[in-house]
Amino acid sequence: MLNRDLWERLEGLVRGGRVKIEWHYVPGHSGVPGNERVDAIASDFALGDPVDLYRGAADAYGVDLTPPAANAALTRPRGDSTSRPTSRSKSKSAKAYSYLSLVGGVTKRHRTWAECERRVHGVSGAKFKKATSAADESRILARWGAPNPSR
């Protein structure tokens, strides 16, 4: 299990009554602003990128945190695997132009997150990022100092 230490710590807080959690399934990469923001924060932390966290009133945040279909039961579709988006983008709900991965000095462009995830999963030092346009892709590659990707 990934991040077992964190899950066990969270479980202890919940069981101890110090934290109350209400779980809702939200499909990844579906354009839900709050979920896209959480994905961006997690990806940036994982990559060691700077993370600008908001402190203040939720209604002044600037990202819609309303759960989708708040009064409808959401269930995970069969065969749906949980996935993590690769990074933040200027538009939190922007569609992916491509997904980039850098493993062992070799850059690859992927059409789907699942394809990208298979390549980077469990690889120490691997980098991955969602690009929202050709220009965004170029900026990411330049930041990585990476060569043009192959498919």
Side-chain angles (χ1 to χ4, degrees), residues 7 15 24 30-31 58 75 77 80 88 92 96 98 101 111-112 121-122 126 131 149:
W7 283 105
R15 285 192 181 185
H24 297 272
S30 62
T75 58
D80 182 287
R88 74 178 172 278
K92 303 297 183 226
S98 68
S101 65
R111 288 191 178 118
T112 66
H121 185 74

Side-chain angles (χ1 to χ4, degrees), residues 12 19 32 40 43 46 53 55 62 67 80 88 90 102 110 115 128 132 137 144 146 148:
V19 174
V32 176
S43 294
L53 297 176
R55 294 191 195 289
D80 182 287
R88 74 178 172 278
K90 299 285 184 219
L102 177 64
H110 310 278
E115 190 180 291
F128 52 96
T132 57
E137 189 175 89
W144 288 352
N148 285 332

